[in-house]
Amino acid sequence: MPTSPDSESPDSNLIDSFFVYGTLCRGQCRERCWPHPPIAVTPGWVCGALYGRSDYPALTVGDDRVQGELWQFERAYLAEVLKVIDAVEGTHQPGTANLYDRVVVEVYRSDSIDQSEITSDDCIGKAWGYHYATPPELDGFVRIRPNVTQCVRWPPA
């Protein structure tokens, strides 16, 4: 279950990764927004409900397996990466309501996505993620329905 930065656990200060599932992924229009190159980019998934429009997706709390990427950064760059990506995602910007809320999510190995039973060994770590701050349907998003193994991705295949 994701947690918001306001209710961070003490170990959230150790998070050096971001889970992205849309325009910040490799090959997407905002891939160039990252202010520093990552140490690693690893395919993975998180639990959630994914919504889409033609321009970008929205993630909320849910039980589907949302595919994306885990971007890991050097600690020396983390403050700048947080600042830049929060601005890209419309999070924590003074005088403006959040478009997305930054949350802590557990990311799972991509090869475990089809397993019926997920164990702690399948978790590859905690990361910052972004959940849409309001009901996505109010902004014209449509729920992306999972396939038989509960998997979803944006853009849908």
Side-chain angles (χ1 to χ4, degrees):
M1 180 71 126
T3 59
S4 71
D6 297 333
S7 63
E8 294 174 21
S9 63
D11 65 351
S12 66
N13 293 328
L14 303 176
I15 293 174
D16 62 359
S17 301
F18 291 76
F19 178 79
V20 294
Y21 52 88
T23 61
L24 286 166
C25 289
R26 292 174 294 182
Q28 294 294 330
C29 64
R30 290 188 171 167
E31 175 186 8
R32 295 181 184 190
C33 291
W34 296 100
H36 295 282
I39 295 171
V41 177
T42 306
W45 63 271
V46 298
C47 289
L50 189 63
Y51 296 77
R53 300 190 319 199
S54 62
D55 49 354
Y56 62 95
L59 180 67
T60 63
V61 173
D63 295 323
D64 298 336
R65 296 176 182 187
V66 179
Q67 295 174 293
E69 298 172 342
L70 181 69
W71 286 59
Q72 182 183 14
F73 292 89
E74 290 185 33
R75 292 212 176 278
Y77 299 138
L78 197 54
E80 184 181 359
V81 174
L82 276 168
K83 181 179 177 182
V84 169
I85 300 305
D86 277 358
V88 167
E89 297 293 350
T91 301
H92 301 113
Q93 302 305 299
T96 307
N98 281 355
L99 180 61
Y100 287 86
D101 294 324
R102 182 167 24 100
V103 296
V104 177
V105 294
E106 289 187 341
V107 184
Y108 297 90
R109 295 180 302 111
S110 62
D111 64 351
S112 70
I113 199 163
D114 293 328
Q115 295 174 191
S116 59
E117 297 291 324
I118 302 300
T119 68
S120 59
D121 290 340
D122 297 312
C123 184
I124 57 177
K126 291 185 179 184
W128 295 117
Y130 292 89
H131 282 185
Y132 208 67
T134 59
E137 301 90 346
L138 298 178
D139 289 332
F141 288 91
V142 175
R143 177 85 184 267
I144 300 172
R145 295 293 171 186
N147 62 23
V148 294
T149 57
Q150 295 182 300
C151 304
V152 293
R153 74 170 336 139
W154 183 91

